[in-house]
Amino acid sequence: MFFLFPDPHFKKKNHRQRLIGPYLLDEFSHALQIGGIVYTITDVEELGEWMKTCLENHPLFEALTEEELEADPVVKLLDSATEEGQKVARSGGQTYQAVYRRIASTI
């Protein structure tokens, strides 16, 4: 699953509309097979931290290791695969990635 430069919904009352959040991650975990990967990237630091925290706290997702990130050809393309990514690169902006794997339930 790919979430590339989603709308940040800055206002706190609109955080529930963010694509990555506790409730929608429950839904995504049912749609994604075990071993499936969730790729996220944004140029908004607060949103990047939000997505990373939500994924980190969800019991059915785990972060890829540094070795896995370096070996994954998709990770190398996240910055440049979209118009938004290319725009951020041209302007010298920073991006924030979170890449997590769907794991089996421990219950």
Side-chain angles (χ1 to χ4, degrees):
M1 296 183 122
F2 294 88
F3 299 95
L4 310 177
F5 301 96
D7 189 337
H9 294 288
F10 288 111
K11 294 181 181 176
K12 188 171 179 109
K13 69 177 184 171
N14 292 331
H15 283 189
R16 61 183 163 68
Q17 296 175 355
R18 289 180 170 175
L19 289 175
I20 298 290
Y23 303 113
L24 280 177
L25 282 176
D26 287 340
E27 299 297 324
F28 298 151
S29 71
H30 291 293
L32 196 61
Q33 69 181 3
I34 293 170
I37 307 291
V38 173
Y39 297 91
T40 72
I41 186 170
T42 182
D43 59 335
V44 178
E45 184 175 12
E46 185 225 334
L47 180 60
E49 286 300 316
W50 166 276
M51 293 190 295
K52 183 177 178 182
T53 299
C54 288
L55 284 157
E56 191 69 37
N57 291 332
H58 198 283
L60 296 177
F61 292 98
E62 70 178 6
L64 270 63
T65 65
E66 286 298 319
E67 294 80 22
E68 291 172 316
L69 290 171
E70 289 175 18
D72 188 334
V74 175
V75 172
K76 295 173 183 70
L77 296 173
L78 289 177
D79 284 328
S80 61
T82 65
E83 278 187 41
E84 186 68 23
Q86 293 168 9
K87 183 174 86 174
V88 171
R90 280 193 307 271
S91 68
Q94 187 171 356
T95 59
Y96 307 90
Q97 297 179 7
V99 183
Y100 284 73
R101 174 187 303 108
R102 165 71 160 85
I103 59 174
S105 175
T106 57
I107 297 174

